[in-house]
C-alpha cells in the first residue's frame, strides 16, 4: 500500500477513461482502472500510467454484474487500502429507433450505464464513508440532458445518472463525499468513430469535436480542485447545450 491518493476509474483502458487515468496519474495519484475485455488496451494503458510514476493496476470485471463488481472492488481495496476518487466512466451504446430497439438492447444499456454505476458506487461509498472523505465523478452525457433520436435507452440511463448524482450529493455531503457529473458532448473516441467529424463540428459553437483530454481535465478539476462543488452537472460540449 502506497502513500499516494488513489483513483478508481471504470472504463479506464480506452477513450475518455484512459485520458482520466493519465490525468490523475499526472496529479500524483495511484490509479486502478476497470475494463470489460480488451486486455491489450488495458495493459498498454497500465504501462503508460506506470511510466509516469503511478502504481497502476487493471481489473477486469463487468460493472453490470454485482458479484463480479464486489469481488473486483474488494481486490482494489486490498491492494491500495483506500479510494479517494471514483470516476464512473464505463459505458456502452446500443442505438436504434425506439420501435426497433429490442429489450436486450434496452437492458444492456440500462444495466451497464446506470445499474453499473450503482453496483460500483455501493462498495466504494461504504469505504469513503469510513474514510470520511471522497469524490465521485459520474460520466453522463449531453444526451441525458437534451435527448437524442435513436438513443432512448442511452439517454434514459444518462438522465438517470444525473438524478442519482444529485441525490447522492445531498445524501453524502455530511460525510465529506462530493458527487458531480460531467455531460460530455461529442468526443473523439472509439464510441464515436462512425461519426463524420466535419459534419458534426458545423453544429458545435467551438467548431470541433472534443478530445478525451478535455473531459479528463474537467474530471480532475471536479475531483481535486472543486472542493466546494457538489451535485453539479458540468457540460463539456464545445457550447452545444447552452
Ligand atoms: P469507449 O472508448 O467505448 O470506452 C469504453 C470503456 O468502458 C472501455 O474501457 C471498456 O472496456 C469499458 N467498459 C464498457 N463496458 C464495460 C463493462 N460492462 N464493465 C467494465 N468496463 C466496461 O467509450 P468513451 O467514448 O471513452 O466513453 C466513456 C464514457 O463517456 C461512457 O460512459 C460514455 O457513455 C460517455 N460519453 C461519451 C461520449 C463520446 O462522445 N465519446 C459522449 C458523452 C458521454 P474494454 O476496453 O475492455 O471494452
Amino acid at each position: 500500500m502506497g502513500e499516494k491518493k488513489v483513483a478508481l476509474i471504470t472504463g479506464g483502458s480506452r477513450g475518455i477513461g484512459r485520458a482520466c487515468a493519465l490525468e490523475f496519474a499526472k496529479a500524483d495519484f495511484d490509479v486502478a482502472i476497470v475494463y470489460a475485455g480488451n486486455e491489450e488496451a488495458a495493459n498498454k494503458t497500465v504501462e503508460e500510467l506506470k511510466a509516469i510514476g503511478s502504481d497502476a493496476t487493471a481489473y477486469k470485471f463487468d460493472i453490470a454484474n454485482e458479484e463480479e463488481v464486489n469481488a473486483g472492488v474488494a481486490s482494489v481495496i486490498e491492494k491500495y487500502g483506500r479510494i479517494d476518487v471514483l470516476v464512473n466512466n464505463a459505458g456502452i451504446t446500443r442505438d436504434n429507433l425506439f420501435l426497433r430497439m429490442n429489450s436486450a438492447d434496452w437492458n444492456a444499456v440500462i444495466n451497464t450505464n446506470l445499474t453499473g454505476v450503482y453496483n460500483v458506487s455501493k462498495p466504494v461509498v461504504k469505504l469513503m464513508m469510513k474514510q470520511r472523505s471522497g469524490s465521485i465523478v459520474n460520466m453522463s452525457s449531453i444526451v441525458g440532458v437534451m435527448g437524442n433520436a435513436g438513443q432512448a435507452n442511452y439517454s434514459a440511463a444518462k438522465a438517470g445518472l444525473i438524478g442519482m448524482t444529485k441525490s447522492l450529493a445531498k445524501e453524502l455531503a455530511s460525510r465529506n463525499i462530493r458527487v458531480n457529473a460531467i455531460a460530455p458532448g461529442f468526443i473523439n473516441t472509439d464510441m464515436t468513430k462512425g461519426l463524420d467529424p466535419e459534419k458534426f463540428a458545423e453544429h458545435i459553437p467551438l467548431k470541433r469535436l472534443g478530445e478525451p483530454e478535455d473531459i479528463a481535465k474537467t474530471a480532475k478539476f471536479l475531483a481535486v480542485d472543486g472542493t466546494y462543488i457538489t451535485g453539479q452537472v458540468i457540460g463539456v460540449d464545445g457550447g452545444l447545450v447552452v
Side-chain angles (χ1 to χ4, degrees), residues 25-241:
K26 280 186 218 150
D28 213 24
F29 277 72
D30 283 335
V31 179
I33 62 170
V34 178
Y35 69 106
N38 189 335
E39 203 99 38
E40 201 183 324
N43 290 340
K44 189 164 171 271
T45 301
V46 165
E47 288 316 308
E48 289 173 321
L49 293 166
K50 284 185 173 162
I52 48 177
S54 179
D55 180 9
T57 316
Y59 295 85
K60 179 180 165 184
F61 58 82
D62 176 4
I63 62 162
N65 182 320
E66 196 175 8
E67 276 177 29
E68 279 187 31
V69 170
N70 287 337
V73 173
S75 312
V76 175
I77 297 172
E78 197 183 337
K79 173 169 165 107
Y80 292 98
R82 57 184 299 116
I83 297 172
D84 300 281
V85 172
L86 168 63
V87 184
N88 279 311
N89 163 80
I92 58 167
T93 51
R94 295 281 185 279
D95 299 349
N96 220 331
L97 292 174
F98 185 62
L99 289 184
R100 290 192 196 144
M101 185 179 286
N102 59 34
S103 56
D105 292 337
W106 175 267
N107 290 330
V109 170
I110 300 293
N111 291 345
T112 304
N113 296 9
L114 186 56
T115 311
V117 176
Y118 162 85
N119 290 338
V120 177
S121 300
K122 204 55 173 301
V124 174
V125 165
K126 204 169 170 187
L127 176 70
M128 287 178 168
M129 283 177 90
K130 279 196 215 140
Q131 293 173 179
R132 294 219 166 239
S133 74
S135 179
I136 299 175
V137 178
N138 291 326
M139 211 54 79
S140 181
S141 167
I142 47 161
V143 165
V145 178
M146 67 177 194
N148 197 19
Q151 290 198 305
N153 50 0
Y154 184 82
S155 60
K158 294 300 189 184
L161 199 46
I162 290 174
M164 185 181 170
T165 299
K166 293 179 180 179
S167 295
L168 283 187
K170 290 184 176 180
E171 200 172 312
L172 302 176
S174 64
R175 305 300 179 99
N176 194 30
I177 300 166
R178 296 180 301 103
V179 189
N180 292 289
I182 298 175
F186 294 100
I187 312 300
N188 199 1
T189 70
D190 292 343
M191 190 179 265
T192 51
K193 68 180 170 210
L195 305 180
D196 174 355
E198 279 180 20
K199 191 172 148 249
F200 270 82
E202 255 175 56
H203 305 287
I204 301 170
L206 284 178
K207 298 287 176 219
R208 66 170 176 91
L209 260 63
E211 294 301 325
E213 292 71 24
D214 293 315
I215 308 302
K217 284 188 268 184
T218 310
K220 187 248 165 187
F221 166 74
L222 284 172
V224 177
D225 308 309
T227 46
Y228 199 51
I229 302 175
T230 197
Q232 300 303 306
V233 183
I234 310 294
V236 186
D237 59 9
L240 205 50
V241 177

